[in-house]
Amino acid sequence: MNRFIAVGILVLICITGQTQEYPKDYFQQPVDGKLLLSGNFGELRSDHFHSGLDFKTGGKIGAKIYASADGYIARIKISLSGFGKAIYIKHPNGYITVYGHLNHFSKDIESYVRKKQYERESFTIELFPKASELKVKKGEVIAFSGNTGGSAGPHLHYEIRDSKTEKPINPVFFGFKIKDYIKPKIKAVKIYASSENSKINDKNEDVVYKTSGWGLKYRLKNDPSIKVKGPISLGISTYDLTNDSYNKVGVYQISLKVDSQLVYRHKIERFAFSESKYINSFIDYAHYIAERERFQRIEKDPGNKLSLYGRVENSGVLEFNDTLVHHVVYEVMDVHNNISRLQFNVQSELSDSISGEEKKKKNWFDYRNANKYSHSTIKLNFKKRSFYRSFEFKVSEKKHKLPAYSNEFAIHTDQTPVHRPFTIQIPLKSIKTEMKEKLFIARINDGEYSLQNSKFTGDTISATLRKFGNYVVIADTTKPTIKALNIHNGKNIEGYKRLVFEIDDDLSGVDEFRATINDKWILCEYEPKTKRLVYTIDDRMQKGENRVVLRIKDACQNEKTFEAVVSF
Ligand SMILES: [Zn+2]
């Protein structure tokens, strides 16, 4: 290729922001009809960026799901959370397509999975079929849509991944036709006082400004005059909409110019799953925890390794130190090139001279290092790079309101994000051996307990935690419950298609279930959202009398058994 043409193409690619070419006609859409989104790629979710497109299925379960192209099923996973029932197809062109929250698989795949479930005596399963085992053709029905796993309503979660790197890529780049003429919405801007000496309108406080206007004509509501002094930074609250769908989705690219100079840009074309959690540094995490609104920050914390940034001048901190009016222009673009623009001015003032005295800080956590906190009542251990920036760490303890086996510990604050799991150890005195398996460390959230997988070593209970917040040791001594919805002892169930149970546990949750007929394991499907456990009657149920046993356990080894003899 001519060198000048090559340079020209490179420049063009940089301008449009798309860095790579993807095949446009290779993959067919996985659902019938007009493609409507309830979620899009890169959308901001809790602790992660959304890794695919969520296609609507008319609010219903059971829509046909098609293989996007020829290939073979390389992975099948059934889990109670995440993508629920999911299929991964490997294609010869170097991509993998993923289909999640499925209700059930097509006949051949279903019987393949069922056989393995019976072999392993487990409903949840992860399989990696060989290339020769489950080949699929483009357009072949592979499954039926559902609402399994961590799904809040019926839809198909669809992904395209690079098979070498496993990185998900925005499927829109592969030519799917999604109608989107709607420009992103810009809700608000937040100006941050980035240092102790920074001032916004004479105060050392962050300020949120709501917007008015539309499309290319966004401005700040009532055109406020804004004075800034010292280093400041910015954040924006924005979302996108697509045609014929009410669901708010994510924007593709945000850029910021100050006095016509590009100072910030990011875009979400692809990312690695391993970096998805940096979203907690990408957004204003504290604001999100407090108000449930996500501001996307231009400031990049030193410990943030997200690859989405194109340009971040001076780590996203603006330092004017003059007496001029500065013009700020935010540009927000969705993946279909609809652009919205917000403009406003700030009046800069000369910075105060900074008093150079550094206060000595107790429990200073350097984000680059491993850190620990040790006290007679609690020990905490953090790996290297567990935080996005350094800070002064605090722990306090008080008596818990309800009966508990330890004090309630406030571990720093839930508004500070933690990147890596950390360990907690709480020494407890004189706990009887039989009581130890009933105790667990619980996170307290709005008065609700959430169990953390805990274990005893000697007289110390420990757990691996993922978030700061309030923790306490409590006991779960209550048995889980079983309600048989369509059988009882002695019942004649001739002609029945399935047995249905409602199972539940109040504190630690149903952790294990095992059902048998005449002492042989039977496959039960469990859906935690509806608490339903369903056995679809198969040849394990014999003519005549059958002894049905269901045994469930919670995470603290509390057990409940249901038994019935039924005739079939
Ligand atoms: Zn999804």
Side-chain angles (χ1 to χ4, degrees), residues 405-470:
Y405 288 79
S406 76
N407 272 344
E408 180 179 331
F409 297 94
I411 302 174
H412 202 64
T413 148
D414 63 356
Q415 295 191 4
T416 298
V418 184
H419 193 68
R420 298 185 198 286
F422 61 98
T423 57
I424 179 173
Q425 291 170 293
I426 303 173
L428 298 172
K429 269 182 228 122
S430 56
I431 304 289
K432 287 191 194 120
T433 311
E434 63 272 22
M435 199 55 205
K436 283 182 178 172
E437 62 184 17
K438 309 289 182 206
L439 296 193
F440 62 89
I441 298 172
R443 186 168 197 266
I444 310 163
N445 209 355
D446 292 331
E448 300 258 320
Y449 297 110
S450 71
L451 170 128
Q452 313 293 315
N453 216 335
S454 313
K455 68 160 197 265
F456 263 94
T457 316
D459 281 330
T460 298
I461 189 167
S462 64
T464 299
L465 308 181
R466 287 163 197 284
K467 283 179 193 307
F468 283 155
N470 287 31

Side-chain angles (χ1 to χ4, degrees), residues 50 54 155 157:
H50 189 235
D54 286 342
H155 73 277
H157 173 92

Side-chain angles (χ1 to χ4, degrees), residues 39 45 50-54 83 101 155-159:
R45 299 270 177 101
H50 189 235
S51 51
L53 297 178
D54 286 342
F83 296 155
H101 307 308
H155 73 277
L156 172 71
H157 173 92
Y158 179 75
E159 280 182 23

Side-chain angles (χ1 to χ4, degrees), residues 206-219:
D206 307 337
V207 184
V208 172
Y209 293 97
K210 292 243 158 53
T211 63
S212 62
W214 181 85
L216 297 172
K217 297 207 158 130
Y218 274 104
R219 56 193 176 83

